[in-house]
Amino acid sequence: MFFLADKPATFWFPEQASTFAPEVDSFYFALLYISAFFFVLVVGAMVYFMFAYRMRPGYRGSVEALHNNWLEFWWTFIPCCIALWIFARGAWGFLDMMSIPVGTNDIDVTARKWAWNFKYPGGVESDELHVVLEKDTKLTMRSDDVLHSLFVPAFRVKCDLVPGRYTQMWFRPTKVGVYDLFCTEYCGDKHSQMAAKVSVQTQEDYDAWIAKEMTPPSDPVEWGKKLFTKTKGCAACHGVEGKRVVGPPLNERWGKDVALATGETIKFDKSYVRESVLEPQAKAQKGYESASQMPSYQGRLKEEEIDALVAYFKSQTAGVEVPKAPASEETKK
Ligand code: CUA
């Protein structure tokens, strides 16, 4: 509204990219200036009185408590009005953010340690949030494990995701671009890396993106890689470079024996992958007894998707034959 409308990132704030942003910022600055004004007034008066009524030879202050009705009335009345205005302005902004308009673009959000999953009408899933410029967007959010919180600084919106409950929020993006999305509720080891990107796109670009995402890659390895690194967020905890991360690495494993926490060994094959994805606690690997950190993917991975992941793990193991993409009409020629 006043001061800042539609300026790029400043010392104080990130870029303004939603209709809420100018509102929130102007209110913030109003509070800042009010506080600064009274700080200077009160501290200034204090310093002045300290000096004016200091102890010095020949000076005697009054011994009676002084009283001034008018002064007391005004210094109560004015701050009271300001406090009421702050409350009203805050409540107004809060209600605006809480009242979800009709006709929104609806996106489902699932948070789990430590990845975001966004699901669009039509079933497209992604680890990035794509939203349409100047279109009211509603997020319906849930958590699979612990408390998380979704925060998009450029939109000035933030809302908790609570296990066992749905929460909702809305916003209207006003500027095409790519913005940051953070988790702002401490949720474990990799909380600080639980971030994602928000793409604000024109309707055309958004439709084109959805159309592209609708069709999974025909090559199983490519598809598996996409599921692993992007759509399902596995790469948040599992590496394919042999490095130790939160979960066991999944490269160079296919067909080999892996040691379990129980002291037994098990062959890393499709049954083991499938079981571990659907019931992560069943057979934790040695050194990764904290498998309880991983939520079950039961109902969240189709059988074909597990096949694609298996193809990807095979491709990451030297000397293992990888299934080929079924030859399409074009490649046959
Ligand atoms: Cu999720 Cu912090």
Side-chain angles (χ1 to χ4, degrees), residues 156-234:
R156 313 288 192 272
V157 291
K158 182 172 159 227
C159 185
D160 282 4
L161 291 85
V162 186
R165 180 193 298 185
Y166 290 100
T167 50
Q168 292 188 318
M169 71 173 182
W170 79 282
F171 49 80
R172 179 196 282 233
T174 52
K175 205 185 267 176
V176 168
V178 179
Y179 306 97
D180 291 313
L181 181 156
F182 298 109
C183 178
T184 51
E185 185 72 52
Y186 181 68
C187 55
D189 297 355
K190 295 186 80 186
H191 156 72
S192 61
Q193 286 161 54
M194 192 173 164
K197 293 285 174 209
V198 185
S199 279
V200 178
Q201 298 175 299
T202 59
Q203 185 75 52
E204 276 174 18
D205 290 350
Y206 174 83
D207 292 343
W209 178 77
I210 289 282
K212 193 177 116 242
E213 292 296 309
M214 273 294 201
T215 11
S218 60
D219 178 33
V221 174
E222 278 304 307
W223 188 12
K225 184 176 181 187
K226 188 172 180 192
L227 291 168
F228 187 85
T229 54
K230 292 191 70 73
T231 325
K232 301 295 174 183
C234 318

Side-chain angles (χ1 to χ4, degrees), residues 54-254:
R54 70 192 186 281
M55 195 155 98
R56 55 188 188 269
Y59 174 79
R60 282 198 66 209
S62 167
V63 289
E64 286 156 39
L66 297 174
H67 190 79
N68 185 323
N69 276 336
W70 272 113
L71 196 60
E72 287 187 19
F73 171 77
W74 285 112
W75 79 34
T76 309
F77 182 73
I78 294 174
C80 192
C81 290
I82 295 173
L84 281 174
W85 176 79
I86 291 172
F87 172 78
R89 181 70 178 67
W92 181 268
F94 176 75
L95 288 175
D96 193 18
M97 286 178 160
M98 288 297 110
S99 323
I100 297 170
V102 286
T104 48
N105 253 10
D106 294 352
I107 298 169
D108 290 336
V109 182
T110 308
R112 66 181 70 102
K113 294 189 289 187
W114 289 273
W116 295 100
N117 177 274
F118 304 99
K119 200 166 186 182
Y120 301 83
V124 166
E125 280 182 71
S126 169
D127 64 341
E128 288 169 0
L129 179 58
H130 285 248
V131 293
V132 181
L133 181 70
E134 297 296 350
K135 184 100 186 166
D136 294 340
T137 303
K138 179 174 82 183
L139 304 183
T140 302
M141 309 185 289
R142 65 192 185 86
S143 165
D144 273 349
D145 36 42
V146 297
L147 271 180
H148 301 273
S149 185
L150 186 150
F151 179 37
V152 184
F155 293 171
R156 313 288 192 272
V157 291
K158 182 172 159 227
C159 185
D160 282 4
L161 291 85
V162 186
R165 180 193 298 185
Y166 290 100
T167 50
Q168 292 188 318
M169 71 173 182
W170 79 282
F171 49 80
R172 179 196 282 233
T174 52
K175 205 185 267 176
V176 168
V178 179
Y179 306 97
D180 291 313
L181 181 156
F182 298 109
C183 178
T184 51
E185 185 72 52
Y186 181 68
C187 55
D189 297 355
K190 295 186 80 186
H191 156 72
S192 61
Q193 286 161 54
M194 192 173 164
K197 293 285 174 209
V198 185
S199 279
V200 178
Q201 298 175 299
T202 59
Q203 185 75 52
E204 276 174 18
D205 290 350
Y206 174 83
D207 292 343
W209 178 77
I210 289 282
K212 193 177 116 242
E213 292 296 309
M214 273 294 201
T215 11
S218 60
D219 178 33
V221 174
E222 278 304 307
W223 188 12
K225 184 176 181 187
K226 188 172 180 192
L227 291 168
F228 187 85
T229 54
K230 292 191 70 73
T231 325
K232 301 295 174 183
C234 318
C237 296
H238 293 281
V240 285
E241 287 157 6
K243 270 187 277 168
R244 190 194 162 96
V245 269
V246 181
L250 300 172
N251 63 321
E252 299 304 334
R253 287 289 181 280
W254 188 261

